[in-house]
Amino acid sequence: EPTLTYREREVLQRVARGASNDEIAATLTISKNTVKNHMRNILSKLHLSNRAQAMVYARQRGLADEPPPPD
């Protein structure tokens, strides 16, 4: 299974919970472009086509249920 960076995992967890790029950027105090870059890397590493697939992937693996990483 591909290895995501800590920040990519944080982003994916929030995607699994239905957060928008704006919400993720505000929560993690990063720019929206940085969130988009992380999403592009996540999709590439996991061989997924879009955000919806990433959400399903993360939910199937229980990421939405894990306690959120510290902000």
Side-chain angles (χ1 to χ4, degrees):
E1 187 159 308
T3 303
L4 300 179
T5 66
Y6 182 80
R7 187 61 108 183
E8 288 166 352
R9 192 171 174 84
E10 285 183 305
V11 170
L12 185 57
Q13 255 188 327
R14 286 166 172 83
V15 166
R17 295 189 183 108
S20 69
N21 284 355
D22 286 336
E23 292 167 334
I24 294 168
T27 302
L28 299 179
T29 59
I30 58 177
S31 75
K32 197 161 84 167
N33 278 338
T34 301
V35 175
K36 288 179 182 179
N37 287 338
H38 287 311
M39 278 306 300
R40 191 168 29 254
N41 293 338
I42 291 164
L43 295 176
S44 176
K45 286 181 179 183
L46 301 179
H47 306 288
L48 302 171
S49 301
N50 56 51
R51 185 185 194 92
Q53 288 180 350
M55 184 181 285
V56 169
Y57 174 95
R59 287 183 175 173
Q60 286 175 339
R61 284 156 183 78
L63 289 182
D65 303 325
E66 287 183 8
D71 291 332

